[in-house]
Amino acid sequence: MLDKHAKLERNALAFVFAIIFVASIGGIVEIAPLFTIDETVEEVEDMRVYTPLEVAGRNIYIREGCYACHSQMIRTLQDEVERYGPYSLAVESQYDHPMLWGSKRTGPDLARLGEKYSDAWHVAHLINPRDVVPSSVMPSYAWLQRNSLKYEDMDLHLAALRRVGVPYTDEMIESAAHDTYGQAKPDSERADAFMERYGEDSNVRAFDGDPGHLTEMDALVAYLQILGRLTDVAHQQASNSTGGE
Amino acid sequence: MISQLTRDERALAMVLCVLLTLFGATLGLVGRDDVLGWHGALLALSGMVLLIVIMSKIYDPDPNPDRVTKYYDDPTKVGVIVSMMWLVFATFVGDWVAWLLVYPEATFDAGWSSFGRLRPVHTTGVIFGFGGNALIATSFHVLQRTSRARLAGNLSPWIVVIGFNLFCLLAVTGYMFGITASKEYAEPEWYADLFLVVIWVVYFVLYLRTLARRQEPHIYVANWYFLAFILVVAILHIINNLAVPVSLGHAKSYSLFSGVQDAMTQWWYGHNAVAFFLTAGFLGMLYYYLPRRAGRPIFSYRMSIISFWGITFLYMWAGSHHLHYTALPHWVQNLGMTFSIVLVVPSWASAGNALLTLNGAWEKVRDDATLRFMFVAAVFYGLSTFEGSFMAIRPVNSLSHYTDWTVGHVHAGALGWVAMITFGAFYTLVPMLWNKERMYSSRLIEAHFWLALAGTVIYVFSMWNSGIVQGLMWRAYAENGTLAYSFIDSVDAMRPYYFARAVGGFLFFLGGVIGLYNIWMTTRMPAVEKPPVYDLPPVVAAEPAE
Ligand code: HEM
Ligand code: HEM
């Protein structure tokens, strides 16, 4: 074996190909099947897409690096399920480009945060976390309430998401900017049009408490309120299994 | 430095600067309504500054044609200094974010200064800025000495060094503007990623062409590692960053993959960024500078071979240990765990090989802080790989995952291994590069050593404690069968550890400042009459070796 290796060491190109070959095997065996094996991601009927306002909010979550301190992946461990709710299923992040499972919990998991607190709580918390949780070490994000949301180009965002596989319709893409605005302005024509496209159960509220001004706070809170609520399948599965016992 | 380029090369460099300026201007123009515009402007400005610098020297005489009989070390010199500057900057930011977890109010009411944006500035700054520059600089040096050949290009090493630093600059300024793809250690957006691909191809071609000129029949071990580092990082980088930009005028893109597949691709990347950036490249450093400094040959050639191929093969399977108990299919989790455990064998073979090389030179380790840096690095390498394999076991990971234990492990590897081996290598390399007999001050090396070691130990111990306390609190049950602690209870419990970590980090940072000062002063030491001769000169061959 040592002799063979001594030969390999004399040939740079052969060495390069040997490295590529040896290093590729692991990834090919582990990753490629994830795209082809059907069981990897559950199929569910009620899985819905993010609305444009929620997409904008998700992008703010990414921009501010919230994922550095908060996971969105409840593991299949008893204490986690009791603390945060049913464990996360693959399908729940099916439309997450990229996923935000996270790797560190400086703060709690957020996978099932949606509707756990009121909008007003979130706004207060984001402006100054220590106003509502005195010993929190989370940064304050007061500027979100001051910054207007940039939403004119949301159609481009939805189109890009469709290109990577999220099933937005042409109509959703065309009216993305209007829908972004409409979701945060209840009782307006745009809000009605928004609900027609995304369903009556979608949240239509002035998330930051001020319907007159569409802010980054609106978008982020809208996103936080939908976490874990794109499909009900995790809860169903959880109640089925406890019901069966 | 520019005077080492011929006039033709200078002209070509100017063309490249113009291209860079045009590229930046185009990005700036199409992205003028977006944060992308700022980055376009930054690139255009860099292109122009470089252009002016070269233009001011365009009429200098051509370099002495005997330059081909010498090694080309200017790019390495720049790389070493820039690497230390990144270290100082990025550990400063690291310590700042560490303090932010103690005093969250210690910030400005502005996005750029908040924890979530500064944390990737720290990680990118240390890994790519400090680590990347150190790897590029030392790889050029090692490659030439072990091949007895001059670099196969005069301009291309500069493209690599300058281009790579522009990439780092785009990355860290981007996070502060709010530009991030959010994938850990792969946060830069699509245009910066593409830019890096170009730089990396230049690096790879330069490496291979220089190897082709080598006068030694065998490729030395250190170069195997540098090659693996260059190649595998390219594969990982391209696949993990596949994305569709919102438009050519937007910095933002959406990752091609989603959910589980994205998670697996990301951690296949993430773990192997550890393996091929933070491990393979630095092992390359170890395999050259440690034997040189110790004045002893590597203990075992056979062990080098086993550990090299073991690491190259096994690491690529291990990424899924970042996803235990998640929605990732079980079979992938189990594969990841199994391979991670086996991984301890080649890892310890490397660490053992290094320590056994030192066996018989212990009095040098005792007296020479430079060699001691490398000794401690090998110990921490053994420690953090053992710890990593242990943490990859599912039940252990159920406790450690999401906690500060991971952060402790990271920094045992990053401070104890990556940074220490680099300091040892630099203190060996710097006098050679600038033709000095020794470093400016050996007492400052000694001071740096103790600050770095104390900082690392304090950091790692406090994070082990906080991580395990956190993990145990999260899973503790009260007698009545409910969870014993709320989440915020565990946050309160972290305070003393976060404080200690920030203090340890400060010591480490201080050591880095001293290191930079010492290196800088060495470069300014007066020349001696008879400069020491460190290396045999390159063999100038009419024909390449292959
Ligand atoms: C045998 C070698 C190693 C193995 C098996 C290993 C294993 C692990 C495991 C199990 C984790 C925790 C994953 C999680 O729960 O999220 C981890 C995290 C990490 N390790 Fe290692 N490790 C090894 C060596 C190293 C070395 C030498 C470094 C050098 C710096 C390093 C750097 C990291 C980093 C940066 C992370 C954090 C990733 C993140 O969550 O952001 N590891 N490693
Ligand atoms: C002055 C020394 C340093 C200090 C004070 C420091 C501090 C920190 C802090 C506070 C974090 C964030 C942890 C969290 O989110 O809970 C972090 C993360 C990280 N640091 Fe450092 N750091 C230092 C040096 C380094 C060096 C030299 C390296 C690499 C060569 C490094 C690599 C990393 C990595 C990879 C992470 C991400 C860990 C993860 O995601 O699990 N750090 N550091």
Side-chain angles (χ1 to χ4, degrees):
Chain A
M1 189 200 107
L2 283 183
D3 299 349
K4 286 225 179 89
H5 201 271
K7 264 198 197 147
L8 187 64
E9 282 166 32
R10 288 159 170 266
N11 188 333
L13 273 186
F15 211 96
V16 164
F17 284 112
I19 291 175
I20 295 179
F21 174 73
V22 169
S24 302
I25 304 171
I28 291 173
V29 172
E30 287 186 351
I31 300 181
L34 296 180
F35 289 91
T36 51
I37 299 178
D38 291 339
E39 293 95 77
T40 304
V41 181
E42 309 82 359
E43 284 210 19
V44 295
E45 299 267 299
D46 66 341
M47 180 69 189
R48 79 155 174 82
V49 295
Y50 292 108
T51 67
L53 185 65
E54 291 154 11
V55 169
R58 192 166 193 276
N59 290 344
I60 292 168
Y61 185 96
I62 289 174
R63 182 186 80 190
E64 300 301 342
C66 309
Y67 59 85
C69 292
H70 294 284
S71 57
Q72 291 187 22
M73 170 50 60
I74 302 167
R75 295 179 294 169
T76 55
L77 301 168
Q78 193 195 346
D79 56 291
E80 296 214 354
V81 172
E82 282 183 34
R83 191 180 296 279
Y84 301 115
Y87 59 82
S88 302
L89 300 176
V91 63
E92 293 181 273
S93 46
Q94 187 181 11
Y95 298 141
D96 285 10
H97 295 264
M99 57 85 205
L100 295 172
W101 293 7
S103 64
K104 176 78 210 305
R105 281 184 190 150
T106 303
D109 187 276
L110 303 182
R112 307 224 174 276
L113 182 71
E115 304 297 338
K116 188 173 165 196
Y117 303 97
S118 68
D119 295 345
W121 186 93
H122 279 301
V123 173
H125 182 242
L126 287 165
I127 289 178
N128 184 10
R130 278 152 296 284
D131 285 349
V132 278
V133 187
S135 57
S136 173
V137 295
M138 182 166 136
S140 87
Y141 292 95
W143 61 87
L144 298 178
Q145 181 79 313
R146 302 193 293 263
N147 289 0
S148 302
L149 182 70
K150 189 172 169 225
Y151 64 95
E152 302 78 14
D153 57 357
M154 283 314 293
D155 53 338
L156 294 175
H157 285 260
L158 262 56
L161 279 166
R162 181 158 77 178
R163 235 166 282 145
V164 294
V166 184
Y168 288 111
T169 62
D170 289 340
E171 198 195 333
M172 285 171 168
I173 292 176
E174 272 158 33
S175 41
H178 282 199
D179 286 346
T180 313
Y181 188 85
Q183 190 178 356
K185 198 156 170 76
D187 308 318
S188 67
E189 257 172 54
R190 287 186 186 175
D192 297 339
F194 163 79
M195 282 215 271
E196 246 167 62
R197 274 185 281 278
Y198 290 91
E200 295 289 321
D201 321 330
S202 320
N203 300 326
V204 177
R205 309 197 285 257
F207 293 93
D208 70 351
D210 174 7
H213 186 192
L214 183 63
T215 60
E216 296 188 336
M217 186 67 88
D218 279 307
L220 184 57
V221 173
Y223 171 63
L224 295 178
Q225 293 292 27
I226 201 66
L227 284 174
R229 303 178 70 85
L230 293 178
T231 161
D232 203 29
V233 62
H235 287 279
Q236 280 166 13
Q237 198 181 23
S239 58
N240 284 350
S241 61
T242 43
E245 267 164 27
Chain B
M1 279 169 212
I2 298 171
S3 57
Q4 281 303 308
L5 301 175
T6 62
R7 286 198 187 164
D8 286 351
E9 285 160 351
R10 281 174 231 170
L12 187 59
M14 284 171 57
V15 173
L16 289 174
C17 294
V18 171
L19 285 178
L20 179 65
T21 310
L22 287 178
F23 174 64
T26 315
L27 271 191
L29 216 58
V30 294
R32 64 187 174 281
D33 295 333
D34 192 75
V35 271
L36 181 61
W38 291 102
H39 267 169
L42 183 71
L43 284 179
L45 193 71
S46 314
M48 280 192 283
V49 169
L50 288 168
L51 188 68
I52 291 170
V53 171
I54 301 171
M55 230 159 26
S56 69
K57 299 262 161 88
I58 188 75
Y59 292 119
D60 284 12
D62 266 338
N64 191 335
D66 79 350
R67 66 174 185 170
V68 292
T69 64
K70 302 206 173 95
Y71 295 117
Y72 193 26
D73 286 334
D74 288 353
T76 304
K77 289 181 181 171
V78 171
V80 168
I81 302 279
V82 175
S83 167
M84 289 302 288
M85 284 165 41
W86 275 108
L87 174 82
V88 168
F89 165 74
T91 51
F92 173 78
V93 177
D95 206 39
W96 183 1
V97 297
W99 284 112
L100 280 180
L101 290 182
V102 188
Y103 303 109
E105 313 273 1
T107 185
F108 310 102
D109 182 22
W112 68 267
S113 68
S114 92
F115 182 93
R117 295 202 198 178
L118 286 181
R119 187 189 195 270
V121 172
H122 163 62
T123 55
T124 301
V126 279
I127 298 177
F128 296 99
F130 164 62
N133 274 299
L135 289 171
I136 292 174
T138 54
S139 72
F140 285 164
H141 179 256
V142 173
L143 173 65
Q144 296 182 85
R145 300 319 188 274
T146 56
S147 306
R148 301 244 359 232
R150 184 183 161 92
L151 282 181
N154 295 299
L155 200 51
S156 48
W158 290 115
I159 300 179
V160 177
V161 172
I162 296 174
F164 181 76
N165 281 289
L166 279 178
F167 165 79
C168 294
L169 203 63
L170 286 182
V172 298
T173 53
Y175 311 145
M176 296 200 228
F177 287 139
I179 304 173
T180 171
S182 87
K183 294 187 160 192
E184 265 187 282
Y185 320 126
E187 291 96 343
E189 271 291 359
W190 59 275
Y191 53 96
D193 290 336
L194 287 174
F195 186 75
L196 183 64
V197 170
V198 176
I199 304 300
W200 218 249
V201 170
V202 176
Y203 188 19
F204 178 59
V205 171
L206 173 64
Y207 215 89
L208 273 192
R209 286 188 54 222
T210 310
L211 273 182
R213 289 184 174 185
R214 75 183 180 281
Q215 295 302 316
E216 307 282 343
H218 291 271
I219 303 173
Y220 181 65
V221 194
N223 293 317
W224 310 349
Y225 283 101
F226 285 126
L227 264 183
F229 148 65
I230 299 172
L231 277 170
V232 182
V233 166
I235 299 174
L236 296 166
H237 173 77
I238 291 172
I239 295 183
N240 191 43
N241 284 304
L242 291 173
V244 173
V246 171
S247 81
L248 290 182
H250 281 77
K252 169 86 190 156
S253 69
Y254 289 98
S255 138
L256 187 60
F257 311 122
S258 71
V260 204
Q261 291 91 355
D262 192 41
M264 185 57 213
T265 312
Q266 156 59 23
W267 287 112
W268 166 79
Y269 167 90
H271 190 67
N272 291 296
V274 167
F276 291 89
F277 215 102
L278 297 179
T279 300
F282 290 90
L283 281 172
M285 243 184 233
L286 177 133
Y287 270 106
Y288 183 78
Y289 294 102
L290 181 123
R292 259 204 96 154
R293 186 77 187 188
R296 300 170 59 83
I298 279 290
F299 170 73
S300 161
Y301 169 63
R302 186 188 297 258
M303 260 161 97
S304 317
I305 295 181
I306 293 174
S307 49
F308 176 76
W309 291 107
I311 284 173
T312 306
F313 177 67
L314 296 170
Y315 254 110
M316 299 300 264
W317 295 76
S320 50
H321 65 222
H322 290 259
L323 300 168
H324 281 329
Y325 301 95
T326 66
L328 181 77
H330 261 264
W331 63 270
V332 196
Q333 299 184 21
N334 285 332
L335 272 180
M337 170 166 94
T338 315
F339 278 87
S340 304
I341 296 170
V342 184
L343 197 50
V344 80
V345 175
S347 303
W348 274 35
S350 297
N353 213 356
L355 294 177
L356 290 168
T357 302
L358 291 175
N359 197 13
W362 295 119
E363 76 295 340
K364 281 196 194 162
V365 176
R366 190 193 57 209
D367 298 336
D368 176 12
T370 302
L371 197 56
R372 220 180 308 129
F373 265 121
M374 295 197 252
F375 161 71
V376 170
V379 172
F380 268 101
Y381 178 66
L383 189 102
S384 54
T385 49
F386 177 79
E387 180 188 30
S389 294
F390 183 61
M391 288 164 73
I393 301 171
R394 275 166 57 88
V396 179
N397 194 267
S398 76
L399 182 79
S400 74
H401 188 60
Y402 292 140
T403 73
D404 283 321
W405 187 350
T406 307
V407 178
H409 162 69
V410 170
H411 288 84
L415 304 177
W417 156 238
V418 170
M420 300 269 193
I421 191 67
T422 307
F423 299 146
F426 278 3
Y427 288 139
T428 311
L429 169 64
V430 164
M432 296 182 188
L433 279 178
W434 276 274
N435 259 313
K436 310 291 178 196
E437 262 168 287
R438 50 175 182 81
M439 286 292 298
Y440 169 70
S441 160
S442 55
R443 288 183 51 200
L444 287 181
I445 302 183
E446 198 68 44
H448 183 190
F449 175 81
W450 290 110
L451 283 170
L453 184 63
T456 306
V457 169
I458 296 174
Y459 193 124
V460 173
F461 270 88
S462 46
M463 289 298 98
W464 277 338
N465 273 300
S466 68
I468 290 172
V469 168
Q470 231 169 7
L472 290 176
M473 284 178 86
W474 292 345
R475 59 165 62 173
Y477 281 89
E479 271 175 25
N480 61 5
T482 57
L483 292 169
Y485 300 102
S486 68
F487 191 88
I488 198 71
D489 291 338
S490 75
V491 176
D492 290 336
M494 293 306 104
R495 278 195 138 264
Y497 306 116
Y498 283 172
F499 185 85
R501 184 256 305 269
V503 172
F506 183 72
L507 298 183
F508 193 90
F509 159 76
L510 214 57
V513 174
I514 292 178
L516 176 58
Y517 173 77
N518 200 359
I519 291 176
W520 182 248
M521 293 309 284
T522 309
T523 68
R524 318 208 53 183
M525 267 156 71
V528 285
E529 262 174 41
K530 251 181 61 196
V533 177
Y534 284 105
D535 296 299
L536 298 171
V539 180
V540 188
E543 294 284 310
E546 278 177 317

